[in-house]
Amino acid sequence: ITIKFKKGCLCNIFMSRSSNYGYDQRCELFGTDGVISVENPKEDTCVSGTNTGFESSKLFHSFPQRFREAFESEMESFVDTVTKRTPWPVTEDDCVAAQEIAIAASASNALGAKVIYRRDSSESASKPKMPLQEAIISA
């Protein structure tokens, strides 16, 4: 999936549910002033190097292994929302926008063509944290 934002920023997303070397999920952000890279967590941080190259431990195999802390944090937020009435960190508008973008990507794939995504900010009940107001989506 490629998303081109109104101001020209490009976002490329490649997803696959299978990999013979482990659950592979990376994120890289490139900009004019630098780069940010989030690598895959591994079973340990040991890396060995010889004259034949480098070796490291395997990637974690599954979601529960990789995202244990995230699941715990989500449960803590849920408990706080229920018991302390703290606002849920994900808004209804965040969910609707994510679904609309997924529908646009699916339509692009089915049509084999670019799809224009526009969202009228007046439609939202709450202001999203990072609003995607307009983009061209192609799959």
Side-chain angles (χ1 to χ4, degrees), residues 2 4 6 8-10 15 19 21-22 24 29 36 45 47 53 66 75 81 83 94 96 100 104 107 122 126 139:
T2 300
K4 183 176 182 183
K6 189 175 183 177
C9 178
L10 287 175
M15 297 176 68
S19 172
Y21 55 87
D24 188 356
L29 302 149
I36 296 172
T45 59
V47 177
R66 296 181 62 132
M75 289 304 298
T81 298
T83 61
D94 293 335
V96 170
E100 288 175 347
S122 66
S126 62

Side-chain angles (χ1 to χ4, degrees), residues 16-81:
S16 173
R17 298 261 332 188
S18 61
S19 172
N20 63 357
Y21 55 87
Y23 194 85
D24 188 356
Q25 183 176 357
R26 290 171 276 167
C27 178
E28 296 175 323
L29 302 149
F30 300 91
T32 55
D33 294 331
V35 62
I36 296 172
S37 180
V38 180
E39 296 294 329
N40 289 302
K42 296 179 179 161
E43 291 178 349
D44 61 52
T45 59
C46 183
V47 177
S48 64
T50 68
N51 63 347
T52 61
F54 287 89
E55 290 188 30
S56 64
S57 62
K58 296 188 305 183
L59 301 176
F60 283 121
H61 178 70
S62 66
F63 247 72
Q65 289 176 313
R66 296 181 62 132
F67 299 106
R68 183 179 53 95
E69 293 88 1
F71 291 142
E72 289 172 0
S73 178
E74 189 171 344
M75 289 304 298
E76 288 171 8
S77 291
F78 175 75
V79 169
D80 286 348
T81 298

Side-chain angles (χ1 to χ4, degrees), residues 1 3 95-109 117 137 139:
I1 297 170
I3 301 174
C95 296
V96 170
Q99 183 62 42
E100 288 175 347
I101 293 165
I103 290 169
S106 180
S108 172
N109 185 54
Y117 172 82
I137 299 175

